[in-house]
């Protein structure tokens, strides 16, 4: 039995027919013993068939094994002899082609013959042969492609035709017959890696030379195979190396020579990033061009950061290394320059990064998706860029503590100089000139510091920084307060006077020296009293300057804080619109077209130590905008309070000095024995006669005489104040002393007039101010006189006492009426009681008309306050009247 491979490859091979044929062959080849019985023959035949079947199975197994080995051997030989096989196939193809031509010619010849039966049979056979030849041609062509594909791919790669090579690999890898007639999976991976490496290598040259067209083709090829990250990493690596080499000389020069400005390096970085942007747009390197430029910028800034840090360190340590650690007046200029130089550097870098971000910003690039996505929306959850972090990290701690730094510099500079000025109270004018100049410098420093804090300090730290700045103003107020108290101690002014801010009109609240022997209770004819008034007027001028500066500063802080809150509200609204997507199209355009605003948000988030803008909105912005949040820092109130309190203290002290001459006689009035004495007049015959007239008491005369000299003293003090104001070149800028005191008096009475029953007069001019002060002072004296009368120990008064009191009241009223037409309500009431008493004891038969001012006083009774009602009740008991 012979088994041939051709049997299995025939086109008409049938397995059942083949097996039946093999069984027939086995039965024919079997040898039997004809002499044996039929049963023995049948058994023998069965055994023989089993043996033949076993032999057939063994042969088939050996055939399969040999076929596999031959196939493997052929494959191995095929792989090693590909070139020879290609040549053989080419030759075979040539022969097949010639055979085809011969068959075609023969077919034409046969067709020309008569179509006899034998001819038809030959034609059929020939067509069958031609069909098989055509299939052979196709098979050989497919085999030729298989054997030639690796060489073709390699040749294309060597020739630089990477797109065609990759296309062949892609076609082979996508074929369903890859394992049988195409490239193997290992070949596909190998060629893909080879082409990828060649493409990346090919990309390096155009990227290095900024050859946009060539880079574009290679980038498109790599991007088509999902290698965008490879493109980006290759670009960043190459351009970072090249551009950093270009930056290095400028950075080295800036580092070695710290006096040079950093602008050269910043300009070069901006120029390089702009060039890279143009190249990315032209080459269409990636859809995420913004991220590519950001990574490149971060690499540039990374080598710049040590220079920035060193520059800051040298600026901060400049004054110490040059002048030592004593921050006195000598180093003040250096200290101020330290803050200015650091702030200038920060603002310079902020402006640089704003321009850089405009270049990097996706909204300005034409690569990839051109939809107008909101820039602010993309910023919400996006971490702050690495380039920003590297650039501004040296400033985080400095800007966070800028308020403390500014305060330290002011305390060690202009404020220290103010405290070091020694006042000469006998020659206060010179001190006023020096102190006013330093005071102006302090507030200039404070205003500049406030501007820097508003612009640079993180929002979460602004409240504390403003409060620290306000402490400077409080220190100035304390300094002048200590000066006033020092003058009070040295001159005998009761220490309660500067602090008695609510008792400006109550001259009896401090009795003073009842004998009036101290100089402060004398008139200005006393040189000691004049020196005291001069020193207080000088300090008052400084307090007015301070009050004006402090008020302006308070308004400035209020304004800046309101602007900050408005800005935060706008930021929150824009972020909310961007997050919720509910903004109109115009809103989105506005947001997207504000890269400067987005840069400010990013820098603010980083300086607040927030990872994202959204975190800053939650942690910093929202708490400041809650309904119950304070509208301004507590420092604003302390600034305003400092100016107001110092104003009231100086007003109280000066007013005390103006009215101190009245205090001793007023203090003696309640204890005079005359109020309860019974005085009878005797005739020469020692007969008692009525007392028809009385003279004003000694105390009333003393008060009246000092009222007469009050106007000249007011004029003398006004001249003194005008002279001091001119010496500091602030005439017409700072309110006059009397205008200042009047304003404080009106403020202390709740803004409802002077509290003395006098009308508020126009105190804008010098003459009206003196007149207003004269009226206020006289009314205060009359009010205190009336209150002192109400404190007489026992009531009612004796008849002589009532008569004496009526005389004293009429006398003082006549003096007051010579200078002013107004009077305090209390004085008007005791004047009414004195008139009632006189009317009741008038017995000459003539009628007495009530004065017009008393008629109005009598009609005002129902509207009296509880205090005034109590006062009137006491006065009525003294006169034993029922009104």
């Amino acid at each position: 039995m012979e088994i041939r491979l051709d049997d299995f490859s025939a086109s008409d091979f049938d397995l059942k027919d083949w097996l039946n044929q093999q069984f027939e062959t086995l039965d024919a080849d079997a040898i039997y013993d004809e002499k044996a019985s039929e049963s023995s023959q049948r058994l023998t035949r069965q055994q023989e068939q089993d043996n033949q079947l076993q032999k057939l199975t063994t042969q088939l197994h050996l055939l399969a094994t040999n076929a596999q080995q031959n196939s493997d051997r052929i494959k191995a030989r095929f792989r090693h002899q590909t070139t020879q096989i290609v040549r053989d196939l080419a030759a075979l193809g040539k022969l097949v082609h010639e055979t085809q031509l011969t068959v075609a010619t023969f077919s034409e010849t046969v067709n020309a013959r008569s179509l006899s039966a034998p001819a038809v049979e030959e034609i059929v056979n020939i067509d069958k042969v031609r069909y098989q030849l055509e299939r052979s041609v196709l098979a050989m062509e497919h085999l030729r492609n298989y054997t030639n594909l690796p060489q073709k791919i390699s040749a294309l790669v060597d020739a630089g035709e990477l797109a065609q090579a990759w296309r062949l690999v892609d076609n082979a890898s996508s074929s369903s017959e890859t394992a049988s007639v195409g490239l193997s999976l290992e070949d596909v991976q190998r060629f893909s890696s080879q082409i990828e490496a060649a493409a990346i290598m090919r990309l390096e040259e155009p990227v290095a030379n900024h050859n946009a067209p060539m880079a574009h083709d290679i980038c498109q090829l790599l991007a088509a195979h999902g290698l965008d990250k490879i493109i980006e990493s290759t670009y960043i690596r190459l351009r970072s190396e090249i551009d950093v080499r270009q930056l290095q000389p400028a950075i080295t020069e800036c580092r070695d020579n710290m006096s040079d400005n950093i602008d050269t390096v910043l300009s070069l970085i901006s120029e390089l990033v702009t060039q890279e942007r143009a190249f990315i747009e032209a080459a269409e390197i990636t859809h995420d061009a913004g991220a590519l430029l950001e990574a490149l910028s971060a690499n540039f800034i990374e080598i710049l950061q040590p220079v920035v840090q060193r520059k800051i360190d040298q600026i901060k340590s400049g004054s110490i290394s040059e002048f030592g650690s004593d921050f006195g007046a000598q180093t003040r200029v250096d200290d101020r320059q330290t803050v200015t130089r650091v702030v200038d550097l920060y603002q310079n870098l902020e402006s640089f990064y704003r321009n850089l971000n405009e270049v990097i910003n996706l909204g300005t690039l034409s690569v990839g998706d051109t939809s107008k996505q909101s820039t602010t929306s993309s910023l919400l959850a996006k971490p702050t860029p690495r380039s920003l972090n590297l650039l501004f990290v040296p400033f985080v701690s400095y800007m966070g503590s800028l308020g403390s730094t500014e305060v330290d510099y002011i305390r060690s500079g202009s404020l220290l100089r103010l405290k070091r000025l020694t006042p000469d109270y006998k020659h206060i004018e010179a001190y006023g000139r020096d102190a006013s100049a330093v005071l102006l410098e302090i507030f200039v420093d404070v205003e500049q510091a406030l501007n820097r804090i508003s612009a640079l300090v993180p929002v979460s730290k602004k409240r504390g920084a403003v409060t620290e700045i306000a402490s400077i103003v409080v220190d100035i107020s304390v300094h002048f307060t200590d000066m006033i108290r020092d003058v009070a101690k040295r001159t005998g002014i009761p220490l309660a006077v500067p602090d008695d801010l609510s008792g400006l009109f109550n001259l009896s609240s401090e009795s003073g020296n009842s004998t009036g022997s101290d100089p402060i209770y004398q008139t200005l004819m006393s040189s000691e009293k004049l020196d005291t008034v001069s020193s207080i007027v000088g300090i008052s001028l400084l307090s007015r300057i301070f009050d004006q500066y402090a008020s302006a500063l308070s308004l400035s802080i209020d304004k800046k804080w309101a602007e900050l809150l408005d800005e935060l509200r706008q930021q929150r609204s824009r972020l909310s619109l961007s997050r919720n997507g509910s903004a109109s199209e115009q809103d989105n355009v506005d947001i997207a077209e504000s890269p400067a605003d987005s840069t400010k948000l990013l820098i603010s988030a980083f300086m607040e130590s927030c990872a994202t803008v959204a975190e800053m909105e939650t942690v910093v912005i929202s708490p400041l905008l809650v309904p119950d949040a304070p509208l301004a820092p507590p420092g604003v109130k302390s600034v305003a309070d400092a100016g107001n309190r110092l104003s009231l203290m100086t007003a109280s002290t000066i007013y005390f000095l103006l009215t101190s001459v009245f205090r001793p006689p007023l203090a003696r009035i309640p204890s005079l024995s005359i109020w309860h004495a019974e005085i009878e007049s005797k005739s020469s015959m020692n007969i008692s006669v009525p007392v028809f007239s009385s003279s004003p008491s000694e105390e009333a005369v003393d008060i009246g005489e000092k009222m007469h000299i009050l106007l000249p003293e007011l004029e003398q003090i006004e001249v003194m104040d005008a002279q001091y104001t001119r010496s500091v070149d602030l005439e017409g800028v700072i309110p006059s002393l009397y205008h200042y005191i009047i304003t404080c008096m009106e403020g202390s009475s709740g803004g409802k007039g002077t509290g003395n029953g006098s009308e508020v007069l126009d105190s804008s001019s010098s003459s009206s101010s003196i007149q207003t002060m004269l009226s206020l002072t006289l009314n205060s004296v009359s009010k205190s006189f009336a209150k002192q009368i109400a404190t007489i120990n026992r009531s009612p008064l004796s008849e002589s006492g009532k008569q004496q009191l009526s005389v004293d009241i009429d006398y003082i009223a006549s003096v007051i009426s010579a200078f002013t037409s107004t009077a305090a309500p209390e004085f008007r009431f005791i004047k009414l009681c004195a008139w009632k008493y006189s009317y009741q004891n008038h017995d000459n038969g003539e009628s007495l008309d009530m004065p017009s001012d008393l008629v109005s006083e009598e009609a005002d009774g129902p509207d009296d306050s509880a205090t005034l009602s109590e006062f009137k009740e006491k006065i009525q008991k003294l006169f034993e009247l029922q009104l």
Side-chain angles (χ1 to χ4, degrees):
M1 180 181 61
E2 182 181 1
I3 300 176
R4 296 180 303 174
L5 290 176
D6 295 341
D7 296 337
F8 299 99
S9 60
S11 60
D12 56 350
F13 175 78
D14 183 84
L15 180 60
K16 293 181 179 180
D17 293 343
W18 184 82
L19 288 176
N20 290 330
Q21 184 182 358
Q22 294 302 317
F23 285 130
E24 291 175 359
T25 303
L26 291 176
D27 188 61
D29 292 341
I31 300 176
Y32 306 106
D33 187 3
E34 297 179 355
K35 296 180 179 182
S37 62
E38 183 177 356
S39 60
S40 297
Q41 290 181 359
R42 187 167 52 253
L43 180 60
T44 301
R45 185 181 296 111
Q46 183 65 38
Q47 291 176 350
E48 185 65 24
Q49 287 179 351
D50 291 341
N51 292 335
Q52 292 297 330
L53 285 175
Q54 182 66 35
K55 183 178 179 180
L56 177 61
T57 302
T58 301
Q59 287 180 348
L60 288 173
H61 178 73
L62 291 174
L63 180 63
T65 302
N66 291 334
Q68 182 64 41
Q69 291 175 351
N70 291 335
S71 175
D72 293 341
R73 186 164 54 253
I74 291 171
K75 286 182 179 178
R77 186 180 304 163
F78 180 80
R79 290 183 179 275
H80 289 89
Q81 298 179 358
T82 304
T83 305
Q84 183 63 38
I85 293 173
V86 169
R87 287 197 297 268
D88 293 344
L89 287 173
L92 181 60
K94 183 178 180 181
L95 291 175
V96 170
H97 180 66
E98 292 174 354
T99 303
Q100 283 181 305
L101 292 177
T102 302
V103 171
T105 303
F106 180 70
S107 297
E108 292 176 358
T109 302
V110 172
N111 290 336
R113 298 178 182 178
S114 59
L115 297 179
S116 59
V120 173
E121 184 177 356
E122 289 181 7
I123 291 173
V124 172
N125 292 332
I126 290 173
D127 286 339
K128 185 176 180 180
V129 172
R130 182 170 60 186
Y131 172 73
Q132 291 179 346
L133 285 173
E134 289 176 351
R135 290 187 61 188
S136 298
V137 169
L138 293 175
M140 285 188 292
E141 183 65 28
H142 198 71
L143 184 60
R144 183 185 296 112
N145 289 336
Y146 171 75
T147 56
N148 193 36
L149 190 57
Q151 287 76 14
K152 189 174 183 180
I153 294 174
S154 298
L156 290 173
V157 172
D158 295 338
E161 301 293 338
L162 302 181
Q164 296 183 29
W166 220 329
R167 191 179 304 113
L168 292 176
V169 174
D170 292 341
N171 292 337
S173 63
S174 62
S175 174
S176 61
E177 300 178 356
T178 299
S180 59
V181 295
L183 295 177
S184 65
L185 293 178
E186 293 79 3
D187 291 336
V188 170
Q189 294 175 357
R190 176 171 59 84
F191 279 119
S192 296
S193 300
Q194 182 181 351
I195 299 172
E196 177 183 327
I200 294 173
M201 187 175 298
R202 181 76 59 83
L203 178 63
E204 292 183 355
E205 180 182 353
V207 169
N209 299 325
H210 274 176
N211 187 337
M214 185 176 178
H216 174 270
D217 295 339
I218 301 175
C219 288
Q220 294 300 314
L221 178 63
L222 290 170
H225 292 81
L227 299 176
D228 299 86
K229 297 298 182 183
I230 298 294
I231 298 174
E232 295 173 3
S233 61
T234 302
Y235 171 82
I236 292 174
R237 175 177 57 82
L238 288 173
R239 292 314 308 175
S240 294
E241 293 174 357
I242 295 171
D243 292 340
V244 165
R245 283 198 300 268
Q246 189 174 348
L247 276 172
Q248 198 62 54
I251 290 179
T252 301
E253 183 178 359
C254 184
R255 183 187 64 235
D256 296 340
N257 188 4
M258 293 306 295
S259 61
D260 286 351
N261 204 306
I262 202 172
D263 288 346
T264 303
V265 179
L266 299 181
S267 298
L268 184 55
I269 291 177
S270 297
E271 181 181 347
L272 290 174
V273 174
T274 303
Q275 292 175 359
E276 297 302 331
R277 166 186 164 171
F279 175 68
I280 290 174
E281 288 180 328
E284 296 186 15
I285 288 181
T286 179
H287 293 295
D288 196 4
L292 204 61
L293 288 173
E294 157 59 27
L296 194 63
S297 302
N299 291 341
F300 296 161
I301 294 174
E302 187 173 14
I303 65 171
L304 175 65
Q305 187 206 56
V307 178
V308 175
Q309 183 65 63
R310 184 181 177 192
K311 199 172 186 68
I312 294 174
D313 294 340
Q314 289 198 356
I315 290 174
K316 291 166 62 177
S317 61
S319 59
I320 298 178
S321 61
E322 186 173 354
F323 297 100
S325 58
D326 183 16
F327 291 98
Q330 270 189 322
T331 63
R332 174 63 187 133
V333 176
D334 223 49
D335 292 340
R336 183 183 300 173
Q337 289 178 353
T338 298
V339 177
T340 303
R341 290 172 63 190
V342 173
V343 169
D344 288 345
L345 177 61
Y346 176 85
Q347 292 177 332
N348 193 11
L349 293 178
E350 187 179 39
S351 176
F352 157 75
Y353 191 80
R354 186 182 302 112
N355 296 332
L356 184 68
N357 195 43
E358 290 181 8
V359 177
I360 296 175
N361 192 277
L362 289 175
T364 64
L365 294 174
S366 60
V367 179
D369 186 12
T370 58
S371 62
K372 293 184 177 181
Q373 181 183 6
S374 170
T375 303
T376 307
S377 177
S378 65
L379 293 175
L380 280 172
K382 185 178 180 180
T384 53
R386 178 170 172 263
S387 60
L388 185 150
N389 299 352
L390 290 171
L391 188 62
F392 291 101
V393 69
F395 296 93
V396 173
S397 61
Y398 189 87
M399 292 306 170
S401 59
L402 183 60
S404 300
T405 303
E406 295 279 6
V407 169
D408 290 341
Y409 287 163
I410 295 174
R411 289 188 191 280
S412 61
S414 52
L415 182 59
L416 182 60
R417 283 208 301 281
L418 177 66
K419 293 181 177 181
R420 285 179 173 177
L421 291 175
T422 303
D424 183 357
Y425 293 116
K426 292 185 178 181
H427 303 87
I428 197 69
E429 184 176 348
Y431 172 80
R433 285 194 300 269
D434 296 339
S436 64
V438 178
L439 196 61
L440 175 61
E441 183 181 345
I442 292 174
F443 276 92
V444 169
D445 289 346
V446 169
E447 186 66 30
Q448 291 177 350
L450 181 63
N451 290 335
R452 286 190 285 264
I453 287 172
S454 299
L456 303 174
V457 172
V459 174
S460 62
K461 296 180 174 61
K462 272 189 172 63
R463 188 186 298 274
V466 171
T467 302
E468 287 187 279
I469 288 294
S471 67
I472 295 292
V473 180
V474 175
D475 286 352
I476 300 173
S477 176
V478 170
H479 175 68
F480 288 130
T481 298
D482 291 341
M483 288 182 62
I484 295 173
R485 287 177 177 159
D486 180 55
V487 173
K489 289 180 181 178
R490 292 187 305 100
T491 59
I493 298 175
L495 294 179
V497 169
D499 297 323
D500 187 15
L501 307 183
S502 61
L504 292 176
F505 305 107
N506 187 5
L507 275 62
S508 60
S509 60
E510 171 56 52
S511 61
N513 192 334
S514 59
T515 63
S517 59
D518 289 344
I520 58 171
Y521 297 106
Q522 304 297 319
T523 65
L524 292 183
M525 297 297 293
S526 169
S527 60
E528 294 185 25
K529 171 72 174 284
L530 185 62
D531 290 341
T532 301
V533 171
S534 174
S535 61
I536 295 298
V537 169
I539 297 174
S540 171
L541 174 63
L542 293 175
S543 71
R544 279 173 276 157
I545 297 173
F546 168 77
D547 190 14
Q548 192 160 1
Y549 290 162
S551 298
L553 179 64
S554 177
L555 293 175
S556 178
I557 295 175
D558 271 332
K559 180 180 178 181
K560 292 181 184 300
W561 194 259
E563 291 173 350
L564 171 65
L565 295 181
D566 288 341
E567 181 182 359
L568 293 179
R569 290 187 188 96
Q570 292 176 6
Q571 288 180 357
R572 185 176 66 174
S573 297
R574 294 172 61 198
L575 292 174
S576 178
L577 288 173
S578 177
R579 179 192 302 105
N580 299 330
S582 57
S584 64
E585 182 179 354
Q586 182 63 40
D587 290 333
N588 283 329
V589 171
D590 291 342
I591 294 174
E593 293 179 354
S594 56
D597 292 337
S598 65
T599 302
K600 186 174 182 179
L601 283 172
L602 287 171
I603 295 176
S604 299
F606 176 73
M607 299 302 287
E608 294 286 358
S609 300
C610 295
T612 63
V613 173
E615 181 182 349
M616 180 183 69
E617 180 191 10
T618 302
V619 176
V620 178
I621 298 178
S622 296
L624 289 174
L625 300 179
V626 295
D628 57 345
L631 297 179
V636 179
K637 187 176 186 303
S638 65
V639 169
D641 289 348
N644 293 336
R645 181 172 180 80
L646 187 61
S647 299
L648 291 172
M649 287 188 69
T650 53
S652 176
T653 305
I654 291 176
Y655 198 72
F656 171 82
L657 294 174
L658 282 173
T659 58
S660 61
V661 292
F662 298 100
R663 296 176 184 263
L666 287 172
R668 294 194 296 268
I669 286 178
S671 58
L672 292 177
S673 60
I674 192 175
W675 308 129
H676 301 92
E678 294 291 346
I679 301 176
E680 294 184 359
S681 180
K682 300 283 186 177
S683 66
S684 58
M685 299 177 63
N686 200 23
I687 299 174
S688 296
V689 296
V691 179
F692 295 99
S693 64
S694 298
S695 300
S697 64
E698 181 181 348
E699 282 70 18
V701 172
D702 191 7
I703 292 173
E705 290 177 349
K706 289 175 180 177
M707 284 182 176
H708 281 286
I709 65 172
L710 183 59
L711 180 59
E713 288 193 349
L714 288 172
E715 292 174 343
Q716 185 177 359
I717 294 175
E718 186 204 30
V719 172
M720 185 188 302
D721 177 64
Q723 177 183 343
Y724 293 165
T725 304
R726 284 193 299 270
S727 70
V728 296
D729 296 326
L730 291 175
E731 191 174 16
V733 178
I734 298 298
S736 67
L737 175 63
Y738 295 145
H739 180 80
Y740 180 70
I741 295 176
I742 293 168
T743 302
C744 290
M745 287 181 171
E746 292 172 351
S748 68
S749 61
K752 299 179 180 179
T754 63
N756 298 316
S758 63
E759 298 177 357
V760 179
L761 304 177
D762 180 13
S763 58
S764 58
S765 65
S766 174
S767 58
S768 62
S769 295
I770 292 179
Q771 184 59 45
T772 303
M773 277 300 301
L774 180 62
S775 298
L776 289 174
T777 306
L778 291 176
N779 287 320
S780 296
V781 173
S782 64
K783 177 180 180 179
S784 297
F785 176 79
K787 287 189 173 182
Q788 290 295 86
I789 295 298
T791 60
I792 294 176
N793 297 332
R794 293 181 290 112
S795 60
L797 304 182
S798 65
E799 291 300 322
S800 298
K802 295 175 185 177
Q803 186 177 2
Q804 183 64 53
L805 181 57
S806 297
V807 172
D808 288 350
I809 292 174
D810 289 339
Y811 170 72
I812 293 177
S814 65
V815 175
I816 292 176
S817 63
F819 297 103
T820 180
S821 60
T822 62
E826 291 85 353
F827 187 76
R828 290 200 302 268
F829 184 76
I830 63 172
K831 185 179 178 182
L832 174 64
C833 291
W835 182 87
K836 289 284 187 181
Y837 171 76
S838 300
Y839 180 81
Q840 293 177 1
N841 292 278
H842 182 70
D843 55 359
N844 59 6
E846 298 179 2
S847 63
L848 296 177
D849 295 331
M850 180 180 294
S852 59
D853 60 328
L854 298 184
V855 173
S856 61
E857 175 64 26
E858 190 175 36
D860 290 341
D863 296 329
D864 293 340
S865 64
T867 303
L868 185 57
S869 298
E870 182 181 357
F871 165 81
K872 289 182 176 182
E873 183 179 350
K874 291 181 179 179
I875 298 299
Q876 292 179 61
K877 289 181 178 179
L878 290 176
F879 282 98
E880 295 183 290
L881 295 174
Q882 295 293 331
L883 300 182

